[in-house]
Amino acid sequence: MSNEMWVVRAGLKARFAQEFIENSYVAISFVDFAPDDLARTEEETIKARVTSPADRSHANQLISFAYRISVGDIVIVPRLTNANRDYLVARITGPYQHVPDAPLSGPHRRAVEWLGRFQRDDISEAAGNTMGSLSTVFRPTAVEAEFRGFLTALEPLASNGASQRPASTPATLRGHEASDVRIAPAPRPRAVAQLDIELDGQGRARITCPHPALAMEQTPRHVDPGSDWAGVPGIYVLTGTDLQQSSARTGNERTLTTTLIVRPWAYVGLSEDFLGRLSSHRQSKPEWRRALLVRSGGQQQFSSDDIKYLEQKVHAVLEETGEVLLAQTTPRGNLSARPRYPSMLDDCADTVVAVLRLTGTLI
């Protein structure tokens, strides 16, 4: 299943947004350029119709909508109206469809599942500028990491499609002198992950989970990571088992009884060169058996501060479980890191530990 991110506008001033919500689809028009069924049309045929810069823009957007967007991709629909100033979020659930007698929103359609929304006021100025693009269909590549951070805590849509901000969400009081008012957020729940694991012939496990900001691979000690892990920043968790021996004399005969206690062991690190770092750890840390590698799942890579913060957070969550021996001191040098989206990385840390549990690494 794909997991790319796209923006699809709901017409001028989002006038088709309610139609999209009520009927669980997104649609585009461009009927003057391409009224026909694109499922029966080749890309080259669409490109051959181009006779002007405007045609070229229409062709590129139609090709993206019909051929590039895949089932499982995330779609952001801006809804910047007088009544609502937010972004609707959906997941594509079906292939391209052509509807000949479609309403004004357009005959080119994709079925979606609505996931929720996030607020216009919550995004950065750079993201707002990116979303000011005049295109109907485009990739928000420059701010994708920021938007993916919102996907872990979307606000729900009401049954009629209206916006509803949960009572537990921090709110800004408008129209009042409330600069000193703070509404505490509800406690952040621990992540629960459902995994899709693809195992290759060398024992490497490519792990896909619902968290859109993560890509993960679990690699045995004797195997190098896949080629797509070269030169990318991220963190890793080395895992193994620690044997502890307990002896005691029991009974009238004072028989010496020895008990072996097996506990999971972990080491959390960061790297921008996974191949070199794991090779070094094969020499310096002979006890580890598997490594879970973690990097950004979006187009924008983690920054240096992102991985420093994530390393410290994963270590803290593992320590909090009380179930694993950590063969290192707390990476306090990372407490000064200034990540771009700390709340997203907090959720990432919970997800990483959930994956370690679900793969049987932590027992």
Side-chain angles (χ1 to χ4, degrees), residues 169-173 177-185:
T169 302
T172 301
L173 301 182
E177 294 297 324
S179 59
D180 294 330
V181 175
R182 297 290 185 270
I183 301 176

Side-chain angles (χ1 to χ4, degrees), residues 18 60 294 341:
Q18 194 60 34
N60 290 338
V294 182
Y341 316 113

Side-chain angles (χ1 to χ4, degrees), residues 341-362:
Y341 316 113
S343 61
M344 184 230 0
L345 294 173
D346 289 345
D347 291 322
C348 287
D350 288 341
T351 300
V352 169
V353 174
V355 167
L356 290 169
R357 288 181 182 278
L358 292 171
T359 56
T361 304
L362 301 183

Side-chain angles (χ1 to χ4, degrees), residues 174-251:
R174 301 182 185 276
H176 300 278
E177 294 297 324
S179 59
D180 294 330
V181 175
R182 297 290 185 270
I183 301 176
R188 182 169 56 89
R190 292 300 185 198
V192 177
Q194 179 179 349
L195 305 184
D196 180 14
I197 300 177
E198 181 181 352
L199 193 67
D200 70 13
Q202 293 183 291
R204 289 184 295 237
R206 179 60 55 90
I207 301 170
T208 304
C209 74
H211 198 298
L214 294 179
M216 289 178 281
E217 179 177 289
Q218 193 167 64
T219 258
R221 173 188 169 83
H222 63 282
V223 177
D224 285 332
S227 58
D228 56 339
W229 289 87
V232 294
I235 72 159
Y236 58 90
V237 184
L238 305 181
T239 55
T241 54
D242 181 81
L243 294 179
Q244 296 179 347
Q245 181 174 299
S246 175
S247 300
R249 294 188 179 275
T250 59

Side-chain angles (χ1 to χ4, degrees), residues 21 36 62 65 70 107 168 171 203-204 239 243 272 280:
I21 293 170
D36 46 331
L62 284 161
F65 190 84
S70 301
S168 61
R204 289 184 295 237
T239 55
L243 294 179
E272 297 188 12
S280 170

Side-chain angles (χ1 to χ4, degrees), residues 48-69:
R49 299 175 186 175
V50 172
T51 59
S52 68
D55 284 352
R56 184 174 297 106
S57 174
H58 296 164
N60 290 338
Q61 292 177 72
L62 284 161
I63 288 170
S64 293
F65 190 84
Y67 308 127
R68 301 288 185 266
I69 296 179

